[in-house]
Amino acid sequence: MKKTLLALAILSATSAYADEGMWMPQQLPQIAKQLKAAGLKLDPASLTKLTEFPGGAIVSLGGCSASFVSPQGLVVTNHHCVYDSVAQNSTPERDLLANGFVARSLAEEVPAAPGTRVFVTKEVIDVTSKVVTPDVAKLSGKARSDAIEKNQKALVAACEQDAGHRCTVPSFYGGLEFYQIKQLEIRDVRLVHAPPAGVGKFGGDTDNWMWPRHTGDYGFYRAYVSPDGKAADFSKDNVPYAPKHVLKLAREGVKEGDFVMAMGYPGRTNRHRLPSEVQFTFDWLYPAFVKASGETLAIIDRETKDNKDTALKYAGQVASINNYYKNRQGMLDSYAGSDFLARKTAQHEELKAWVNADAKRKAEFAADIGKVEHLIAERDAAVKANFNFSYAQPKLLSTAAMLYRLSVESQKPDAERKAGYQTRDLPRIKARVASLVRTYDAKVDKALVMHHLKNYLAQPAAEQKSAFNAALGIKAGMSEAELSAALDKLYAGSKLGVDAERNAWLDKKPADFQASGDAFIKAAVATFDAFMKDEAEEEELGGKLQQAYGSYMKAKIAFMKSRGQAVYPDANSTLRVTYGNVAGRPHGADGTAWTAFTTVQGVAAKATGQGEFNAPKAQLAAIKAKDFGKFVDPKLKAVPVNFLATLDITGGNSGSAALNAKGELIGLAFDGTLDSIISDWDFNKANTRDIQVDLRYMLWNMKHVDKADNLLKEMGAE
């Protein structure tokens, strides 16, 4: 069997920094010496077995990570990962966000937000040769994109013959390798416990990405299946899922210097990007994103401040925007004045010099390296032109466009439909439509669209979408009053804001859409052909870029290998393992030394009784009385709240199990520090720290404040 690029990339892994790297589980035996030296007591080979302990207990929520912590399907993750479910079950009369929620029996558990899933990984297989066949390798542009997608869909269809499973075929190393990942897709997910916002979101946006931190960022779901153990939609007859493996809770707390690892599903990193991508992102894209996010937040605040129910509808969106807003601004602050671009440019020039120094390497790689730089510039220009347009979409128009596309695609055999619109995708589409009940308000949406449309219409005519403008009845040079009147007419002419009306369109035929007088449906139909043309052009560019980027990555792997350096793939929402140690920072971003732990005494010191620092009275009373029980740290003389570690994580790792040397749960990863989040692009060993909520704080709060004794007993914490 030929060696894969993955195997070649890790032959020299001994030279990698001990704490750097989001490693694929199958890579871990190759770095066994480093893991053992760092303190791991398990056999590294055991971590490759995704259906054994501890990997079998680690799950994905499709955006966050989580873990099974009881034989009855109890799932622990971050508070901000269950936030939408708490918000959508909240009303002004029963504000679960503010007051928290504890189900003291199975009967008291409530459905999670529509579309919530628990994905249990069952199998990972290298399928590169089945995706990029010899015939596909000869193709370019859209033909290549289409052929790859066709092969991916065929693999997925065969894999999903096992009912109740969700299969994906993501790419690694810029499309050099593809792996088929099979996951049990648990569709009946229920909210079990979330602490009050004064615990789970303590410090709010003020403390987000900051240290010291005192946030109890934890929450619980439960996974349910049919009585015969199969994935099923919500039903009162369903029973808790029985996982083969659950995480054991550590009996001893961690201390500074201890080994720690996290297992989870990091979203995206960009460490293999070219200098031109770095420059475009930090000089234009992130500043534009920060500006648009700030404007969006201000509009939502203005439009919801006098309506508690509407504010609850947008609470999840506000939390998400705030998180990325501060994240991107933190990256920009770290980038400003740094030598990152200069270093990246120098590294790229060294790669090109190495390629050109050998005739064989030059013949194999030089043309594609030049081509990828040209294609990236073309892609970035399109991103820039479409930026305001992407923000200016009325939510109901986006929904109508999705429903019409679904109707059109449904006329084809399932295998020929566009990925995202196959039969397997229907539950997600239905959940998205259903979620609008508690996430959409016409007044707020119109205000957002009005603002971003003005920016869009200020662009040169060549950067505008003529079909979109015509469908909405808008044009450059309109006064604000004229634009507002056009939007009023559009919103007033649609019934898609009504739940039953939206759901009815899920089963309509294309002719029904084409005959409709509904304003948003008409606009979706009118813009469809132009949208499809734009999509085809994007796929043509994407196919060319994938081919050239793959060649670039092949050259980079060979170059780094020649220097004895390891190459782990950028994160892509697949299961990864990262390891390091519990550690403070001798020189924090604020000029002070950072200790590795914070304690509940810091909660009391910060508590103001209102806003982001409104800690529950019962909690403050327990802290004042030093009612710490067995959860007190003997050295700290208090209950630890959060701790720092040198783990290499990113978005998507939220809720990842932090494990000790024996694979026992010691906490949950939930954040990074503001000056180190640029590690998504540029890893810095000295600065990079991630933040965990300490298990001892979770258990202490559940016992002494929320009285969740039933859950403590279920997890074996009593």
Side-chain angles (χ1 to χ4, degrees):
M1 180 178 176
K2 71 178 183 69
K3 289 184 177 178
T4 64
L5 286 162
L6 173 61
L8 292 172
I10 58 179
L11 288 175
S12 54
T14 53
S15 66
Y17 286 129
D19 305 325
E20 180 182 352
M22 300 175 187
W23 302 96
M24 297 171 67
Q26 57 265 46
Q27 290 181 287
L28 298 180
Q30 304 292 333
I31 56 170
K33 290 182 179 178
Q34 297 97 296
L35 286 165
K36 287 292 188 180
L40 179 66
K41 295 181 180 178
L42 297 174
D43 178 2
S46 70
L47 300 179
T48 69
K49 301 173 183 176
L50 303 181
T51 56
E52 301 297 330
F53 176 83
I58 309 301
V59 299
S60 170
L61 302 180
C64 281
S65 302
S67 312
F68 286 119
V69 286
S70 91
Q72 289 79 46
L74 188 66
V75 173
V76 66
T77 186
N78 285 156
H79 178 269
H80 73 263
C81 295
V82 304
Y83 195 84
D84 274 350
S85 294
V86 182
Q88 293 200 38
N89 280 288
S90 292
T91 64
E93 299 74 29
R94 187 174 182 243
D95 191 345
L96 303 184
L97 279 179
N99 303 320
F101 174 74
V102 182
R104 305 191 189 282
S105 68
L106 297 181
E108 293 184 9
E109 296 171 2
V110 296
T116 301
R117 299 288 188 266
V118 171
F119 296 96
V120 185
T121 300
K122 295 293 187 179
E123 185 179 67
V124 178
I125 304 172
D126 184 353
V127 292
T128 306
S129 62
K130 296 180 180 179
V131 175
V132 187
T133 63
D135 288 340
V136 171
K138 299 174 185 176
L139 301 175
S140 182
K142 189 176 187 301
R144 183 184 180 90
S145 294
D146 289 345
I148 287 175
E149 182 180 308
K150 180 180 178 181
N151 290 340
Q152 287 173 310
K153 289 192 296 187
L155 288 166
V156 165
C159 179
E160 291 184 352
Q161 288 298 308
D162 190 354
H165 290 78
R166 185 85 177 179
C167 301
T168 56
V169 184
S171 69
F172 295 76
Y173 297 111
L176 285 179
E177 293 192 351
F178 292 82
Y179 285 78
Q180 178 179 290
I181 300 172
K182 180 179 181 181
Q183 297 175 310
L184 177 67
E185 182 181 17
I186 298 177
R187 305 192 299 273
D188 186 352
V189 183
R190 305 183 196 180
L191 180 66
V192 178
H193 172 42
V199 174
K201 210 170 182 292
F202 186 79
D205 296 318
T206 300
D207 276 2
N208 193 19
W209 304 105
M210 307 303 288
W211 188 263
R213 194 73 174 273
H214 301 85
T215 307
D217 203 343
Y218 67 90
F220 292 86
Y221 281 139
R222 193 182 303 278
Y224 280 79
V225 291
S226 64
D228 60 356
K230 302 293 180 64
D233 292 328
F234 176 88
S235 169
K236 62 181 179 58
D237 298 322
N238 286 348
V239 298
Y241 174 70
K244 291 183 178 179
H245 297 279
V246 301
L247 293 182
K248 300 175 183 176
L249 307 188
R251 295 296 179 181
E252 295 182 9
V254 287
K255 60 185 183 300
E256 187 158 14
D258 280 357
F259 174 89
V260 60
M261 65 179 174
M263 300 184 74
Y265 291 81
R268 295 284 169 182
T269 54
N270 303 285
R271 293 182 191 159
H272 296 305
R273 296 292 185 176
L274 277 72
S276 60
E277 294 177 283
V278 172
Q279 188 167 26
F280 173 74
T281 298
F282 287 91
D283 287 353
W284 192 89
L285 184 59
Y286 282 179
F289 175 88
V290 167
K291 181 176 183 293
S293 296
E295 292 166 351
T296 297
L297 289 168
I299 293 168
I300 293 175
D301 180 65
R302 183 189 75 208
E303 298 294 329
T304 64
K305 63 182 179 181
D306 296 324
N307 190 316
K308 180 68 176 291
D309 187 54
T310 306
L312 285 170
K313 285 185 176 182
Y314 279 83
Q317 184 176 336
V318 167
S320 178
I321 295 172
N322 262 317
N323 188 50
Y324 282 101
Y325 173 75
K326 196 165 186 177
N327 174 290
R328 299 301 189 253
Q329 185 59 60
M331 287 197 191
L332 289 171
D333 292 342
S334 294
Y335 178 76
S338 75
D339 66 344
F340 176 32
L341 180 58
R343 282 187 288 105
K344 196 76 172 176
T345 301
Q347 291 164 5
H348 189 57
E349 291 303 318
E350 289 173 0
L351 166 63
K352 290 196 290 187
W354 178 81
V355 166
N356 290 324
D358 178 86
K360 185 178 179 181
R361 294 197 297 261
K362 185 175 181 178
E364 184 176 4
F365 300 125
D368 279 336
I369 291 177
K371 186 183 295 183
V372 77
E373 292 180 286
H374 173 77
L375 293 170
I376 285 170
E378 187 177 339
R379 182 196 62 192
D380 290 347
V383 169
K384 191 172 182 178
N386 290 326
F387 184 82
N388 288 317
F389 174 72
S390 68
Y391 278 85
Q393 307 292 308
K395 189 173 285 189
L396 294 184
L397 175 56
S398 298
T399 302
M402 175 184 68
L403 291 168
Y404 183 48
R405 179 71 181 273
L406 174 65
S407 178
V408 172
E409 295 290 342
S410 295
Q411 306 309 301
K412 308 173 186 176
D414 197 55
E416 296 177 17
R417 298 181 196 175
K418 187 69 178 175
Y421 293 92
Q422 295 179 281
T423 301
R424 66 193 290 269
D425 301 304
L426 283 175
R428 289 187 177 191
I429 292 174
K430 290 178 179 179
R432 180 175 166 185
V433 171
S435 70
L436 290 174
V437 174
R438 293 299 303 165
T439 60
Y440 172 78
D441 177 84
K443 178 173 175 285
V444 178
D445 192 67
K446 193 184 301 181
L448 289 169
V449 171
M450 177 76 178
H451 173 80
H452 293 298
L453 270 180
K454 286 189 289 185
N455 293 334
Y456 160 75
L457 290 173
Q459 293 180 191
E463 294 180 358
Q464 295 182 33
K465 312 284 187 180
S466 58
F468 174 78
N469 290 10
L472 269 63
I474 61 174
K475 61 183 179 180
M478 283 183 115
S479 68
E480 187 163 333
E482 290 172 326
L483 184 57
S484 180
L487 289 180
D488 286 344
K489 181 180 179 181
L490 187 70
Y491 282 77
S494 176
K495 295 182 179 180
L496 287 185
V498 179
D499 187 37
E501 291 284 342
R502 283 195 307 278
N503 288 331
W505 285 99
L506 283 162
D507 300 314
K508 299 280 189 181
K509 302 296 183 185
D512 297 319
F513 283 83
Q514 294 157 10
S516 174
D518 186 281
F520 282 122
I521 297 293
K522 286 178 67 177
V525 173
T527 57
F528 182 76
D529 288 343
F531 173 83
M532 295 299 292
K533 182 175 180 292
D534 288 346
E535 183 180 271
E537 291 174 354
E538 290 172 5
E539 290 176 349
E540 177 68 22
L541 175 60
K544 293 177 180 177
L545 188 54
Q546 189 272 340
Q547 186 176 22
Y549 215 106
S551 182
Y552 160 74
M553 278 304 305
K554 188 175 181 181
K556 184 173 182 179
I557 289 171
F559 173 56
M560 293 179 72
K561 181 176 178 289
S562 75
R563 293 186 160 200
Q565 295 175 330
V567 188
Y568 51 84
D570 267 320
N572 62 351
S573 299
T574 59
L575 184 62
R576 303 295 177 93
V577 180
T578 176
Y579 69 98
N581 301 91
V582 177
R585 267 177 60 179
H587 303 289
D590 55 4
T592 64
W594 287 354
T595 59
F597 290 88
T598 57
T599 73
V600 291
Q601 306 296 359
V603 174
K606 284 183 176 180
T608 63
Q610 57 187 355
E612 297 176 323
F613 297 93
N614 187 19
K617 292 180 180 179
Q619 186 189 60
L620 294 175
I623 295 171
K624 184 176 181 180
K626 296 186 177 181
D627 186 10
F628 301 148
K630 63 181 180 181
F631 306 110
V632 66
D633 182 282
K635 183 178 180 181
L636 299 172
K637 309 298 183 186
V639 179
V641 178
N642 299 147
F643 66 87
L644 293 172
T646 59
L647 299 179
D648 187 2
I649 70 168
T650 189
N653 272 121
S654 291
S656 291
L659 308 175
N660 64 15
K662 296 183 287 186
E664 298 169 334
L665 185 69
I666 54 174
L668 301 173
F670 73 91
D671 210 352
T673 58
L674 198 59
D675 70 327
S676 68
I677 54 178
I678 198 173
S679 64
D680 278 6
W681 291 80
D682 183 34
F683 187 87
N684 184 313
K685 180 177 172 63
N687 285 354
T688 298
R689 295 292 185 276
D690 78 314
I691 306 173
Q692 282 70 220
V693 56
D694 197 297
L695 176 67
R696 290 167 288 183
Y697 181 61
M698 295 164 53
L699 300 179
W700 172 79
N701 202 72
M702 291 172 71
K703 181 173 182 63
H704 292 265
V705 180
D706 288 327
K707 311 298 183 186
D709 296 319
N710 58 313
L711 300 179
L712 293 171
K713 182 177 181 181
E714 181 178 341
M715 292 188 293
E718 286 293 323

